[in-house]
Amino acid sequence: MKKVQFVSLMTASLLTLRGIRYLYKKCFHHTMTSKAVEEIIKITSKKDAYTHPEAFERFLYEQSIENKKKYKLSHYMLSHVDETTFASQQLFVVRASKHPKYHIIYLHSGGFIQPISFYEWRFVDRLAKDLDACVYVPMYPLVPTATHEEAYDLLEKLYASIDRTLPLTIIGAGAGGALATGFCESLGSDLQPDRLILISPWLDLTMSRDGGQLEKIDPLLSSYGIKHLGTMWAGTKSLYAYKVSPYFGNYTCLSDVTLFGGTNELLYPDIVRFYRKLKAAHVNARLITGHHLIHNYPLLPIPEAKEAFEQIESTIKRSTRSERLNML
């Protein structure tokens, strides 16, 4: 009898918990897990370093020392990883087999000052495994010792070296989204990758628009810090140059663009504006919005990221060779 009562109680508890989760998502349009992760990020993030001048200068100095060191991949990967030197920079090639079906270039986030994160490595690993893809992860040069020009030089050489008999996708997250978009704009119409996937891309480095309430809500980004980083990334060029701020570039040459953005991130309004510009120019583009979600949400350990990955996976799988040949 006691065993039956215990099982009944546990079943009721589980149903109640599931019910609470269901009602929470129904009311707030995001999961309890995503909210919990956001709160953890608020506590552990370096937003203060992007907000206060003294803290920013200290962060800049400390990170410049770190960036002089050779990057070490310390995360466990299920896929095979080769590390090599390409155009004087570190390049990681992640693959699940010797005969991949897709090529992917992944350009990491980090405000052009921080290296690739653990969450991004986990994302790259899954791309390689689930898609049987070969993923190229270049450690492009970072500020304050480099500008966008060195990164473009690296990316141009890497792009030219990849065999185009297989479908090729470029994925850029955050700052890497700016680099990915500007680079694709520089290619013109004939040399575009099969797919361009942008995760919370930083498209307008001028940060000229008022962040408003998003400045307070976003747990990661602050206009003050990232605008200064953007100025360093620009080097001698204007912040309005398309290789720096692709929002102002010739986006009409882009062929197939998928954008992800969270409504609780500082960059979201520019992501929406850019998407509208693409649609007005009849570029094949779609915007996937994470309601009440934050910067780079498809990379985070939350249920919404699983759905985003499935959307990314289906987008890349549309890059069949027959489709590519029909487009030429």
Side-chain angles (χ1 to χ4, degrees), residues 238-257:
S238 166
L239 282 170
Y240 289 90
Y242 80 90
K243 287 187 177 182
V244 178
S245 295
Y247 181 86
F248 303 104
N250 179 22
Y251 47 84
T252 59
C253 66
L254 304 179
S255 61
D256 193 294
V257 186

Side-chain angles (χ1 to χ4, degrees), residues 269-287:
D270 283 338
I271 295 171
V272 174
R273 291 186 187 100
F274 188 67
Y275 166 71
R276 288 173 179 167
K277 289 174 72 172
L278 293 176
K279 296 302 288 184
H282 305 291
V283 174
N284 183 19
R286 65 171 177 160
L287 170 62

Side-chain angles (χ1 to χ4, degrees), residues 37 76 79 95 129 157 159 168 171 182 189 204 221 236 247 257-258 267 282 320:
V37 169
Y76 175 73
S79 306
R95 54 185 172 80
K129 288 192 296 91
K157 292 174 180 175
Y159 192 76
L168 173 60
I171 303 178
S189 301
D204 179 3
L221 304 178
T236 60
Y247 181 86
V257 186
T258 300
L267 305 180
H282 305 291
T320 62

Side-chain angles (χ1 to χ4, degrees), residues 307-319:
E307 181 179 353
F309 186 88
E310 291 171 353
Q311 291 166 323
I312 290 170
E313 187 176 37
S314 64
T315 298
I316 294 173
K317 283 182 175 179
R318 284 193 288 115
S319 302

Side-chain angles (χ1 to χ4, degrees), residues 17-138:
L17 181 59
R18 287 177 180 173
I20 291 172
R21 287 176 174 170
Y22 173 79
L23 290 174
Y24 184 92
K25 186 174 183 181
K26 201 74 174 173
C27 293
F28 298 104
H29 307 291
H30 62 281
T31 62
M32 293 176 68
T33 304
S34 69
K35 185 60 179 176
V37 169
E38 181 180 343
E39 291 303 315
I40 292 171
I41 288 174
K42 283 181 181 179
I43 297 170
T44 59
S45 77
K46 295 182 179 180
K47 184 172 181 175
D48 284 347
Y50 286 85
T51 307
H52 306 293
E54 290 184 4
F56 178 74
E57 289 300 323
R58 186 167 56 252
F59 166 70
L60 188 64
Y61 172 73
E62 293 171 353
Q63 199 61 49
S64 66
I65 295 174
E66 288 299 313
N67 290 347
K68 291 177 183 177
K69 301 175 183 177
K70 183 179 180 181
Y71 181 83
K72 292 183 179 180
L73 174 56
S74 57
H75 310 299
Y76 175 73
M77 303 281 282
L78 294 174
S79 306
H80 179 79
V81 181
D82 287 315
E83 180 185 350
T84 185
T85 300
F86 183 90
S88 302
Q89 301 295 330
Q90 283 179 275
L91 172 67
F92 291 90
V93 182
V94 184
R95 54 185 172 80
S97 71
K98 293 182 178 180
H99 304 287
K101 298 177 181 177
Y102 307 93
H103 287 308
I104 299 171
I105 297 176
Y106 181 77
L107 302 173
H108 68 81
S109 64
F112 300 123
I113 192 170
Q114 292 179 291
I116 185 170
S117 69
F118 162 75
Y119 295 124
E120 291 177 284
W121 277 124
R122 192 182 67 157
F123 176 76
V124 166
D125 196 14
R126 189 175 175 191
L127 284 174
K129 288 192 296 91
D130 290 11
L131 285 162
D132 191 11
C134 181
V135 188
Y136 302 85
V137 186

Side-chain angles (χ1 to χ4, degrees), residues 163-231:
D163 179 12
R164 292 302 302 272
T165 57
L166 293 177
L168 173 60
T169 297
I170 296 181
I171 303 178
L179 178 56
T181 309
F183 175 73
C184 287
E185 288 179 354
S186 75
L187 293 173
S189 301
D190 296 335
L191 297 175
Q192 289 295 310
D194 297 280
R195 304 286 183 255
L196 173 60
I197 299 175
L198 304 171
I199 300 171
S200 296
W202 185 15
L203 298 163
D204 179 3
L205 274 63
T206 69
M207 300 303 295
S208 55
R209 296 181 180 86
D210 182 16
Q213 191 65 19
L214 288 174
E215 191 82 49
K216 300 177 182 178
I217 295 174
D218 192 316
L220 288 167
L221 304 178
S222 170
S223 296
Y224 173 83
I226 62 174
K227 184 173 182 178
H228 279 70
L229 293 173
T231 300

